[in-house]
Amino acid sequence: MSDSSKPPVPSRGVKPASIADVARAAGVSIATVSRIVNGATGKASAATVARVQATIAQVGYRPTGAGQALRKGQSRLVAVLAANLANPTMAAIAASIETALRDVGLAMVLCDTHDNPDLQDEYLSEMRAQAVRATVLLGAVRSTQLANAMAGAAPLLFVNRRCPIDKAAAFVGVDNQAAGAAVATALHARVPKGALAVIHGSLESSATADRVAGFRRRVQQLGRSLLDVEMPAALGSDHLALGHAATAKLLALPVRPAAIFCASDLIAYGTHRRLREAGISVPQEMVLIGFDDNPLNDWIAPWLASVRVPYAAFGPAIVAMLGEMWRGAKPDSRLLDYTLVDRPQA
């Protein structure tokens, strides 16, 4: 075939070249191009392979990662769906996951669901279409498509919060109930008299529910009075506003607490702001303990004691558990160590 008789090379100005464009330009079938692109060159002559490869370079065709993953049954992509990336805790855990995945040759796709079930479903569907190798749910919520996603081929791993529809599903996090009990013990030791309070959001989150349950149980064992302030889900993931509003509600009660457990550091920031507005100093007049001990605390909250979760340990633990799941195992839980960081006198 002379150069003048060859099919014209498709224009690249409007849209990227497709596999059909390559087949037409090289004078072969789409199936032949597909086999050569995916390394199966045995059924084509050396001349055909060379012509197809030259045409691919000429037209600028780039196979999609999703398409190759579907054909090979494997992908380098791992999706991480985080509930609230404005929370420094979520961002720190996501960073740890990204580093651990990169160390084993995998790449992370990061999405923020904003604790929205519909958005979580949208991302679950999109990640399935992209043929990701696994999906890590960093703070899952109950949603319509969650059960379908769990039944899919790619593993789902729950982090920080347990699966809202199957508590036995694979999970990486801390023992929130034990940590909540440890907070009650610490507050009892520091402030031996008076009521202890807990401020938290919706108990739909297993992390929140477990922290509060452990705290409540230990306060009861200690024989202390408990003031429990749960704020409605309408405040969503804005824990700063939640802490501020809950503290106003707490201060309006006939009994003022001796100390407050805030179920997250961001709630504690909002609580601190409202206490200052009321002329109550921390920790001199009110002791607070938060949860997460996010990386900002050493810089902006030297008054806050907090339960520290081991951010750097999450990534390696998650990658190790994903490895087990890819090998066909069905792991249940991997609990990481936590510590109570006591800095109120700093």
Side-chain angles (χ1 to χ4, degrees), residues 306-342:
S306 185
V307 175
R308 175 173 293 173
V309 300
Y311 301 108
F314 272 87
I318 288 165
V319 169
M321 187 171 280
L322 287 176
E324 294 175 23
M325 298 170 82
W326 286 322
R327 291 190 292 271
K330 293 185 177 180
D332 46 16
S333 296
R334 188 148 302 167
L335 296 180
L336 306 177
D337 293 334
Y338 61 86
T339 53
L340 182 57
V341 177
D342 188 3

PDB file of all heavy atoms in Angstrom, residues 306-342:
ATOM      1  N   SER A 306      -6.250  15.403  74.942  1.00  0.00           N
ATOM      2  CA  SER A 306      -6.981  14.724  73.883  1.00  0.00           C
ATOM      3  C   SER A 306      -6.494  13.288  73.722  1.00  0.00           C
ATOM      4  O   SER A 306      -5.340  12.973  74.047  1.00  0.00           O
ATOM      5  CB  SER A 306      -6.800  15.473  72.559  1.00  0.00           C
ATOM      6  OG  SER A 306      -7.589  14.909  71.532  1.00  0.00           O
ATOM      7  N   VAL A 307      -7.376  12.434  73.216  1.00  0.00           N
ATOM      8  CA  VAL A 307      -7.001  11.066  72.870  1.00  0.00           C
ATOM      9  C   VAL A 307      -6.333  11.103  71.496  1.00  0.00           C
ATOM     10  O   VAL A 307      -6.958  11.506  70.506  1.00  0.00           O
ATOM     11  CB  VAL A 307      -8.226  10.139  72.829  1.00  0.00           C
ATOM     12  CG1 VAL A 307      -7.825   8.742  72.356  1.00  0.00           C
ATOM     13  CG2 VAL A 307      -8.888  10.068  74.199  1.00  0.00           C
ATOM     14  N   ARG A 308      -5.079  10.706  71.437  1.00  0.00           N
ATOM     15  CA  ARG A 308      -4.334  10.751  70.174  1.00  0.00           C
ATOM     16  C   ARG A 308      -4.486   9.430  69.432  1.00  0.00           C
ATOM     17  O   ARG A 308      -4.182   8.365  69.952  1.00  0.00           O
ATOM     18  CB  ARG A 308      -2.861  11.023  70.414  1.00  0.00           C
ATOM     19  CG  ARG A 308      -2.010  10.955  69.144  1.00  0.00           C
ATOM     20  CD  ARG A 308      -0.580  11.388  69.398  1.00  0.00           C
ATOM     21  NE  ARG A 308      -0.526  12.809  69.720  1.00  0.00           N
ATOM     22  CZ  ARG A 308       0.594  13.431  70.130  1.00  0.00           C
ATOM     23  NH1 ARG A 308       1.711  12.736  70.300  1.00  0.00           N
ATOM     24  NH2 ARG A 308       0.564  14.721  70.396  1.00  0.00           N
ATOM     25  N   VAL A 309      -4.969   9.512  68.196  1.00  0.00           N
ATOM     26  CA  VAL A 309      -4.987   8.331  67.334  1.00  0.00           C
ATOM     27  C   VAL A 309      -3.668   8.324  66.551  1.00  0.00           C
ATOM     28  O   VAL A 309      -3.128   9.381  66.230  1.00  0.00           O
ATOM     29  CB  VAL A 309      -6.203   8.334  66.387  1.00  0.00           C
ATOM     30  CG1 VAL A 309      -7.505   8.336  67.170  1.00  0.00           C
ATOM     31  CG2 VAL A 309      -6.162   9.522  65.430  1.00  0.00           C
ATOM     32  N   PRO A 310      -3.130   7.142  66.241  1.00  0.00           N
ATOM     33  CA  PRO A 310      -1.791   7.056  65.622  1.00  0.00           C
ATOM     34  C   PRO A 310      -1.854   7.236  64.109  1.00  0.00           C
ATOM     35  O   PRO A 310      -1.874   6.262  63.355  1.00  0.00           O
ATOM     36  CB  PRO A 310      -1.341   5.649  66.012  1.00  0.00           C
ATOM     37  CG  PRO A 310      -2.614   4.868  66.073  1.00  0.00           C
ATOM     38  CD  PRO A 310      -3.679   5.823  66.557  1.00  0.00           C
ATOM     39  N   TYR A 311      -1.858   8.472  63.648  1.00  0.00           N
ATOM     40  CA  TYR A 311      -2.039   8.754  62.224  1.00  0.00           C
ATOM     41  C   TYR A 311      -1.085   7.974  61.334  1.00  0.00           C
ATOM     42  O   TYR A 311      -1.485   7.381  60.332  1.00  0.00           O
ATOM     43  CB  TYR A 311      -1.883  10.260  61.961  1.00  0.00           C
ATOM     44  CG  TYR A 311      -2.852  11.092  62.726  1.00  0.00           C
ATOM     45  CD1 TYR A 311      -2.445  11.871  63.803  1.00  0.00           C
ATOM     46  CD2 TYR A 311      -4.199  11.086  62.393  1.00  0.00           C
ATOM     47  CE1 TYR A 311      -3.347  12.626  64.519  1.00  0.00           C
ATOM     48  CE2 TYR A 311      -5.118  11.844  63.105  1.00  0.00           C
ATOM     49  CZ  TYR A 311      -4.680  12.615  64.171  1.00  0.00           C
ATOM     50  OH  TYR A 311      -5.580  13.352  64.880  1.00  0.00           O
ATOM     51  N   ALA A 312       0.190   7.983  61.670  1.00  0.00           N
ATOM     52  CA  ALA A 312       1.188   7.348  60.809  1.00  0.00           C
ATOM     53  C   ALA A 312       0.986   5.844  60.704  1.00  0.00           C
ATOM     54  O   ALA A 312       1.408   5.222  59.727  1.00  0.00           O
ATOM     55  CB  ALA A 312       2.593   7.647  61.337  1.00  0.00           C
ATOM     56  N   ALA A 313       0.324   5.243  61.685  1.00  0.00           N
ATOM     57  CA  ALA A 313       0.134   3.791  61.678  1.00  0.00           C
ATOM     58  C   ALA A 313      -1.023   3.360  60.783  1.00  0.00           C
ATOM     59  O   ALA A 313      -1.118   2.183  60.410  1.00  0.00           O
ATOM     60  CB  ALA A 313      -0.103   3.289  63.105  1.00  0.00           C
ATOM     61  N   PHE A 314      -1.900   4.266  60.442  1.00  0.00           N
ATOM     62  CA  PHE A 314      -3.074   3.882  59.653  1.00  0.00           C
ATOM     63  C   PHE A 314      -2.685   3.362  58.276  1.00  0.00           C
ATOM     64  O   PHE A 314      -3.163   2.306  57.839  1.00  0.00           O
ATOM     65  CB  PHE A 314      -4.032   5.073  59.509  1.00  0.00           C
ATOM     66  CG  PHE A 314      -5.027   5.182  60.623  1.00  0.00           C
ATOM     67  CD1 PHE A 314      -4.720   5.862  61.794  1.00  0.00           C
ATOM     68  CD2 PHE A 314      -6.290   4.622  60.504  1.00  0.00           C
ATOM     69  CE1 PHE A 314      -5.633   5.972  62.828  1.00  0.00           C
ATOM     70  CE2 PHE A 314      -7.219   4.728  61.527  1.00  0.00           C
ATOM     71  CZ  PHE A 314      -6.886   5.396  62.700  1.00  0.00           C
ATOM     72  N   GLY A 315      -1.855   4.097  57.555  1.00  0.00           N
ATOM     73  CA  GLY A 315      -1.499   3.709  56.191  1.00  0.00           C
ATOM     74  C   GLY A 315      -0.944   2.298  56.099  1.00  0.00           C
ATOM     75  O   GLY A 315      -1.482   1.462  55.348  1.00  0.00           O
ATOM     76  N   PRO A 316       0.139   1.968  56.839  1.00  0.00           N
ATOM     77  CA  PRO A 316       0.677   0.602  56.768  1.00  0.00           C
ATOM     78  C   PRO A 316      -0.339  -0.463  57.164  1.00  0.00           C
ATOM     79  O   PRO A 316      -0.398  -1.535  56.551  1.00  0.00           O
ATOM     80  CB  PRO A 316       1.857   0.650  57.742  1.00  0.00           C
ATOM     81  CG  PRO A 316       2.281   2.079  57.754  1.00  0.00           C
ATOM     82  CD  PRO A 316       1.016   2.868  57.610  1.00  0.00           C
ATOM     83  N   ALA A 317      -1.164  -0.182  58.195  1.00  0.00           N
ATOM     84  CA  ALA A 317      -2.162  -1.167  58.614  1.00  0.00           C
ATOM     85  C   ALA A 317      -3.209  -1.388  57.524  1.00  0.00           C
ATOM     86  O   ALA A 317      -3.644  -2.522  57.274  1.00  0.00           O
ATOM     87  CB  ALA A 317      -2.834  -0.704  59.905  1.00  0.00           C
ATOM     88  N   ILE A 318      -3.607  -0.322  56.851  1.00  0.00           N
ATOM     89  CA  ILE A 318      -4.610  -0.426  55.789  1.00  0.00           C
ATOM     90  C   ILE A 318      -4.052  -1.193  54.596  1.00  0.00           C
ATOM     91  O   ILE A 318      -4.714  -2.085  54.044  1.00  0.00           O
ATOM     92  CB  ILE A 318      -5.086   0.979  55.378  1.00  0.00           C
ATOM     93  CG1 ILE A 318      -5.969   1.564  56.492  1.00  0.00           C
ATOM     94  CG2 ILE A 318      -5.822   0.962  54.043  1.00  0.00           C
ATOM     95  CD1 ILE A 318      -6.198   3.044  56.379  1.00  0.00           C
ATOM     96  N   VAL A 319      -2.824  -0.883  54.201  1.00  0.00           N
ATOM     97  CA  VAL A 319      -2.222  -1.592  53.068  1.00  0.00           C
ATOM     98  C   VAL A 319      -2.034  -3.068  53.392  1.00  0.00           C
ATOM     99  O   VAL A 319      -2.279  -3.942  52.546  1.00  0.00           O
ATOM    100  CB  VAL A 319      -0.883  -0.931  52.677  1.00  0.00           C
ATOM    101  CG1 VAL A 319      -0.110  -1.799  51.687  1.00  0.00           C
ATOM    102  CG2 VAL A 319      -1.145   0.445  52.061  1.00  0.00           C
ATOM    103  N   ALA A 320      -1.628  -3.375  54.615  1.00  0.00           N
ATOM    104  CA  ALA A 320      -1.471  -4.780  55.014  1.00  0.00           C
ATOM    105  C   ALA A 320      -2.800  -5.511  54.956  1.00  0.00           C
ATOM    106  O   ALA A 320      -2.878  -6.653  54.467  1.00  0.00           O
ATOM    107  CB  ALA A 320      -0.869  -4.860  56.418  1.00  0.00           C
ATOM    108  N   MET A 321      -3.874  -4.872  55.432  1.00  0.00           N
ATOM    109  CA  MET A 321      -5.176  -5.533  55.412  1.00  0.00           C
ATOM    110  C   MET A 321      -5.699  -5.673  53.991  1.00  0.00           C
ATOM    111  O   MET A 321      -6.290  -6.705  53.631  1.00  0.00           O
ATOM    112  CB  MET A 321      -6.182  -4.780  56.281  1.00  0.00           C
ATOM    113  CG  MET A 321      -7.502  -5.521  56.425  1.00  0.00           C
ATOM    114  SD  MET A 321      -8.641  -4.800  57.635  1.00  0.00           S
ATOM    115  CE  MET A 321      -7.951  -5.454  59.159  1.00  0.00           C
ATOM    116  N   LEU A 322      -5.480  -4.677  53.150  1.00  0.00           N
ATOM    117  CA  LEU A 322      -5.877  -4.797  51.743  1.00  0.00           C
ATOM    118  C   LEU A 322      -5.146  -5.963  51.085  1.00  0.00           C
ATOM    119  O   LEU A 322      -5.735  -6.706  50.282  1.00  0.00           O
ATOM    120  CB  LEU A 322      -5.594  -3.496  50.993  1.00  0.00           C
ATOM    121  CG  LEU A 322      -6.516  -2.316  51.291  1.00  0.00           C
ATOM    122  CD1 LEU A 322      -6.037  -1.070  50.550  1.00  0.00           C
ATOM    123  CD2 LEU A 322      -7.963  -2.623  50.914  1.00  0.00           C
ATOM    124  N   GLY A 323      -3.865  -6.131  51.419  1.00  0.00           N
ATOM    125  CA  GLY A 323      -3.112  -7.250  50.870  1.00  0.00           C
ATOM    126  C   GLY A 323      -3.749  -8.584  51.221  1.00  0.00           C
ATOM    127  O   GLY A 323      -3.847  -9.490  50.380  1.00  0.00           O
ATOM    128  N   GLU A 324      -4.196  -8.706  52.457  1.00  0.00           N
ATOM    129  CA  GLU A 324      -4.886  -9.932  52.877  1.00  0.00           C
ATOM    130  C   GLU A 324      -6.170 -10.139  52.079  1.00  0.00           C
ATOM    131  O   GLU A 324      -6.492 -11.248  51.645  1.00  0.00           O
ATOM    132  CB  GLU A 324      -5.209  -9.870  54.371  1.00  0.00           C
ATOM    133  CG  GLU A 324      -3.982  -9.861  55.280  1.00  0.00           C
ATOM    134  CD  GLU A 324      -4.371  -9.669  56.739  1.00  0.00           C
ATOM    135  OE1 GLU A 324      -5.530  -9.976  57.088  1.00  0.00           O
ATOM    136  OE2 GLU A 324      -3.523  -9.211  57.521  1.00  0.00           O
ATOM    137  N   MET A 325      -6.908  -9.048  51.873  1.00  0.00           N
ATOM    138  CA  MET A 325      -8.176  -9.144  51.156  1.00  0.00           C
ATOM    139  C   MET A 325      -7.950  -9.500  49.687  1.00  0.00           C
ATOM    140  O   MET A 325      -8.699 -10.291  49.101  1.00  0.00           O
ATOM    141  CB  MET A 325      -8.954  -7.835  51.302  1.00  0.00           C
ATOM    142  CG  MET A 325      -9.320  -7.517  52.754  1.00  0.00           C
ATOM    143  SD  MET A 325      -9.984  -5.856  53.005  1.00  0.00           S
ATOM    144  CE  MET A 325     -11.701  -6.103  52.530  1.00  0.00           C
ATOM    145  N   TRP A 326      -6.905  -8.948  49.078  1.00  0.00           N
ATOM    146  CA  TRP A 326      -6.596  -9.284  47.691  1.00  0.00           C
ATOM    147  C   TRP A 326      -6.174 -10.750  47.549  1.00  0.00           C
ATOM    148  O   TRP A 326      -6.352 -11.339  46.498  1.00  0.00           O
ATOM    149  CB  TRP A 326      -5.503  -8.364  47.163  1.00  0.00           C
ATOM    150  CG  TRP A 326      -5.990  -6.978  46.895  1.00  0.00           C
ATOM    151  CD1 TRP A 326      -7.199  -6.605  46.384  1.00  0.00           C
ATOM    152  CD2 TRP A 326      -5.273  -5.759  47.120  1.00  0.00           C
ATOM    153  NE1 TRP A 326      -7.284  -5.232  46.286  1.00  0.00           N
ATOM    154  CE2 TRP A 326      -6.114  -4.684  46.724  1.00  0.00           C
ATOM    155  CE3 TRP A 326      -3.989  -5.453  47.603  1.00  0.00           C
ATOM    156  CZ2 TRP A 326      -5.727  -3.356  46.805  1.00  0.00           C
ATOM    157  CZ3 TRP A 326      -3.599  -4.133  47.687  1.00  0.00           C
ATOM    158  CH2 TRP A 326      -4.447  -3.093  47.291  1.00  0.00           C
ATOM    159  N   ARG A 327      -5.637 -11.314  48.618  1.00  0.00           N
ATOM    160  CA  ARG A 327      -5.245 -12.729  48.587  1.00  0.00           C
ATOM    161  C   ARG A 327      -6.408 -13.659  48.932  1.00  0.00           C
ATOM    162  O   ARG A 327      -6.232 -14.874  49.018  1.00  0.00           O
ATOM    163  CB  ARG A 327      -4.079 -12.977  49.538  1.00  0.00           C
ATOM    164  CG  ARG A 327      -2.768 -12.345  49.080  1.00  0.00           C
ATOM    165  CD  ARG A 327      -1.596 -12.807  49.912  1.00  0.00           C
ATOM    166  NE  ARG A 327      -1.657 -12.325  51.284  1.00  0.00           N
ATOM    167  CZ  ARG A 327      -1.155 -11.168  51.706  1.00  0.00           C
ATOM    168  NH1 ARG A 327      -0.569 -10.350  50.839  1.00  0.00           N
ATOM    169  NH2 ARG A 327      -1.242 -10.813  52.972  1.00  0.00           N
ATOM    170  N   GLY A 328      -7.601 -13.075  49.143  1.00  0.00           N
ATOM    171  CA  GLY A 328      -8.781 -13.876  49.372  1.00  0.00           C
ATOM    172  C   GLY A 328      -9.151 -14.070  50.826  1.00  0.00           C
ATOM    173  O   GLY A 328     -10.138 -14.753  51.130  1.00  0.00           O
ATOM    174  N   ALA A 329      -8.387 -13.498  51.757  1.00  0.00           N
ATOM    175  CA  ALA A 329      -8.705 -13.620  53.181  1.00  0.00           C
ATOM    176  C   ALA A 329      -9.871 -12.696  53.531  1.00  0.00           C
ATOM    177  O   ALA A 329     -10.201 -11.773  52.784  1.00  0.00           O
ATOM    178  CB  ALA A 329      -7.488 -13.283  54.029  1.00  0.00           C
ATOM    179  N   LYS A 330     -10.479 -12.938  54.679  1.00  0.00           N
ATOM    180  CA  LYS A 330     -11.583 -12.109  55.160  1.00  0.00           C
ATOM    181  C   LYS A 330     -11.249 -11.601  56.559  1.00  0.00           C
ATOM    182  O   LYS A 330     -11.773 -12.094  57.559  1.00  0.00           O
ATOM    183  CB  LYS A 330     -12.883 -12.901  55.163  1.00  0.00           C
ATOM    184  CG  LYS A 330     -13.369 -13.269  53.769  1.00  0.00           C
ATOM    185  CD  LYS A 330     -14.719 -13.957  53.806  1.00  0.00           C
ATOM    186  CE  LYS A 330     -15.214 -14.257  52.403  1.00  0.00           C
ATOM    187  NZ  LYS A 330     -16.530 -14.922  52.400  1.00  0.00           N
ATOM    188  N   PRO A 331     -10.363 -10.606  56.647  1.00  0.00           N
ATOM    189  CA  PRO A 331     -10.000 -10.059  57.958  1.00  0.00           C
ATOM    190  C   PRO A 331     -11.165  -9.316  58.581  1.00  0.00           C
ATOM    191  O   PRO A 331     -12.079  -8.864  57.881  1.00  0.00           O
ATOM    192  CB  PRO A 331      -8.840  -9.116  57.631  1.00  0.00           C
ATOM    193  CG  PRO A 331      -9.084  -8.707  56.209  1.00  0.00           C
ATOM    194  CD  PRO A 331      -9.715  -9.900  55.540  1.00  0.00           C
ATOM    195  N   ASP A 332     -11.149  -9.182  59.917  1.00  0.00           N
ATOM    196  CA  ASP A 332     -12.240  -8.466  60.579  1.00  0.00           C
ATOM    197  C   ASP A 332     -11.796  -7.083  61.055  1.00  0.00           C
ATOM    198  O   ASP A 332     -12.129  -6.087  60.453  1.00  0.00           O
ATOM    199  CB  ASP A 332     -12.822  -9.295  61.721  1.00  0.00           C
ATOM    200  CG  ASP A 332     -11.755  -9.914  62.603  1.00  0.00           C
ATOM    201  OD1 ASP A 332     -10.588  -9.473  62.539  1.00  0.00           O
ATOM    202  OD2 ASP A 332     -12.077 -10.828  63.372  1.00  0.00           O
ATOM    203  N   SER A 333     -11.021  -7.022  62.127  1.00  0.00           N
ATOM    204  CA  SER A 333     -10.644  -5.723  62.689  1.00  0.00           C
ATOM    205  C   SER A 333      -9.150  -5.656  62.974  1.00  0.00           C
ATOM    206  O   SER A 333      -8.534  -6.658  63.345  1.00  0.00           O
ATOM    207  CB  SER A 333     -11.399  -5.461  64.001  1.00  0.00           C
ATOM    208  OG  SER A 333     -12.775  -5.371  63.774  1.00  0.00           O
ATOM    209  N   ARG A 334      -8.610  -4.477  62.793  1.00  0.00           N
ATOM    210  CA  ARG A 334      -7.237  -4.217  63.208  1.00  0.00           C
ATOM    211  C   ARG A 334      -7.274  -2.964  64.078  1.00  0.00           C
ATOM    212  O   ARG A 334      -7.475  -1.854  63.585  1.00  0.00           O
ATOM    213  CB  ARG A 334      -6.339  -4.013  61.997  1.00  0.00           C
ATOM    214  CG  ARG A 334      -4.868  -3.921  62.349  1.00  0.00           C
ATOM    215  CD  ARG A 334      -4.011  -4.475  61.239  1.00  0.00           C
ATOM    216  NE  ARG A 334      -4.343  -5.861  60.949  1.00  0.00           N
ATOM    217  CZ  ARG A 334      -3.919  -6.520  59.863  1.00  0.00           C
ATOM    218  NH1 ARG A 334      -3.157  -5.922  58.979  1.00  0.00           N
ATOM    219  NH2 ARG A 334      -4.269  -7.769  59.671  1.00  0.00           N
ATOM    220  N   LEU A 335      -7.130  -3.157  65.393  1.00  0.00           N
ATOM    221  CA  LEU A 335      -7.215  -2.048  66.330  1.00  0.00           C
ATOM    222  C   LEU A 335      -5.819  -1.487  66.587  1.00  0.00           C
ATOM    223  O   LEU A 335      -4.888  -2.226  66.916  1.00  0.00           O
ATOM    224  CB  LEU A 335      -7.859  -2.506  67.644  1.00  0.00           C
ATOM    225  CG  LEU A 335      -9.319  -2.966  67.527  1.00  0.00           C
ATOM    226  CD1 LEU A 335      -9.845  -3.404  68.889  1.00  0.00           C
ATOM    227  CD2 LEU A 335     -10.201  -1.872  66.941  1.00  0.00           C
ATOM    228  N   LEU A 336      -5.703  -0.178  66.448  1.00  0.00           N
ATOM    229  CA  LEU A 336      -4.432   0.517  66.638  1.00  0.00           C
ATOM    230  C   LEU A 336      -4.380   1.109  68.044  1.00  0.00           C
ATOM    231  O   LEU A 336      -5.406   1.396  68.659  1.00  0.00           O
ATOM    232  CB  LEU A 336      -4.291   1.621  65.589  1.00  0.00           C
ATOM    233  CG  LEU A 336      -4.451   1.166  64.126  1.00  0.00           C
ATOM    234  CD1 LEU A 336      -4.374   2.364  63.199  1.00  0.00           C
ATOM    235  CD2 LEU A 336      -3.399   0.127  63.759  1.00  0.00           C
ATOM    236  N   ASP A 337      -3.177   1.307  68.532  1.00  0.00           N
ATOM    237  CA  ASP A 337      -3.000   1.866  69.879  1.00  0.00           C
ATOM    238  C   ASP A 337      -3.387   3.343  69.904  1.00  0.00           C
ATOM    239  O   ASP A 337      -3.228   4.066  68.916  1.00  0.00           O
ATOM    240  CB  ASP A 337      -1.548   1.717  70.321  1.00  0.00           C
ATOM    241  CG  ASP A 337      -1.149   0.265  70.538  1.00  0.00           C
ATOM    242  OD1 ASP A 337      -2.039  -0.547  70.832  1.00  0.00           O
ATOM    243  OD2 ASP A 337       0.052  -0.049  70.400  1.00  0.00           O
ATOM    244  N   TYR A 338      -3.890   3.793  71.033  1.00  0.00           N
ATOM    245  CA  TYR A 338      -4.173   5.215  71.234  1.00  0.00           C
ATOM    246  C   TYR A 338      -3.502   5.640  72.539  1.00  0.00           C
ATOM    247  O   TYR A 338      -3.152   4.804  73.380  1.00  0.00           O
ATOM    248  CB  TYR A 338      -5.685   5.479  71.321  1.00  0.00           C
ATOM    249  CG  TYR A 338      -6.353   4.775  72.471  1.00  0.00           C
ATOM    250  CD1 TYR A 338      -6.392   5.356  73.744  1.00  0.00           C
ATOM    251  CD2 TYR A 338      -6.920   3.515  72.325  1.00  0.00           C
ATOM    252  CE1 TYR A 338      -6.972   4.705  74.823  1.00  0.00           C
ATOM    253  CE2 TYR A 338      -7.512   2.858  73.397  1.00  0.00           C
ATOM    254  CZ  TYR A 338      -7.531   3.457  74.634  1.00  0.00           C
ATOM    255  OH  TYR A 338      -8.095   2.811  75.701  1.00  0.00           O
ATOM    256  N   THR A 339      -3.290   6.941  72.699  1.00  0.00           N
ATOM    257  CA  THR A 339      -2.720   7.466  73.941  1.00  0.00           C
ATOM    258  C   THR A 339      -3.486   8.722  74.342  1.00  0.00           C
ATOM    259  O   THR A 339      -4.005   9.448  73.481  1.00  0.00           O
ATOM    260  CB  THR A 339      -1.229   7.832  73.772  1.00  0.00           C
ATOM    261  OG1 THR A 339      -1.073   8.706  72.635  1.00  0.00           O
ATOM    262  CG2 THR A 339      -0.377   6.586  73.552  1.00  0.00           C
ATOM    263  N   LEU A 340      -3.554   8.973  75.623  1.00  0.00           N
ATOM    264  CA  LEU A 340      -4.183  10.191  76.126  1.00  0.00           C
ATOM    265  C   LEU A 340      -3.090  11.238  76.345  1.00  0.00           C
ATOM    266  O   LEU A 340      -2.211  11.062  77.176  1.00  0.00           O
ATOM    267  CB  LEU A 340      -4.929   9.924  77.428  1.00  0.00           C
ATOM    268  CG  LEU A 340      -5.667  11.111  78.047  1.00  0.00           C
ATOM    269  CD1 LEU A 340      -6.671  11.701  77.068  1.00  0.00           C
ATOM    270  CD2 LEU A 340      -6.379  10.680  79.342  1.00  0.00           C
ATOM    271  N   VAL A 341      -3.126  12.280  75.542  1.00  0.00           N
ATOM    272  CA  VAL A 341      -2.127  13.349  75.616  1.00  0.00           C
ATOM    273  C   VAL A 341      -2.632  14.409  76.571  1.00  0.00           C
ATOM    274  O   VAL A 341      -3.694  14.998  76.364  1.00  0.00           O
ATOM    275  CB  VAL A 341      -1.863  13.948  74.227  1.00  0.00           C
ATOM    276  CG1 VAL A 341      -0.878  15.112  74.316  1.00  0.00           C
ATOM    277  CG2 VAL A 341      -1.339  12.883  73.288  1.00  0.00           C
ATOM    278  N   ASP A 342      -1.855  14.668  77.605  1.00  0.00           N
ATOM    279  CA  ASP A 342      -2.287  15.576  78.662  1.00  0.00           C
ATOM    280  C   ASP A 342      -1.482  16.858  78.570  1.00  0.00           C
ATOM    281  O   ASP A 342      -0.328  16.921  78.961  1.00  0.00           O
ATOM    282  CB  ASP A 342      -2.081  14.908  80.028  1.00  0.00           C
ATOM    283  CG  ASP A 342      -2.680  15.707  81.179  1.00  0.00           C
ATOM    284  OD1 ASP A 342      -3.300  16.738  80.886  1.00  0.00           O
ATOM    285  OD2 ASP A 342      -2.502  15.291  82.336  1.00  0.00           O
TER     286      ASP A 342
END
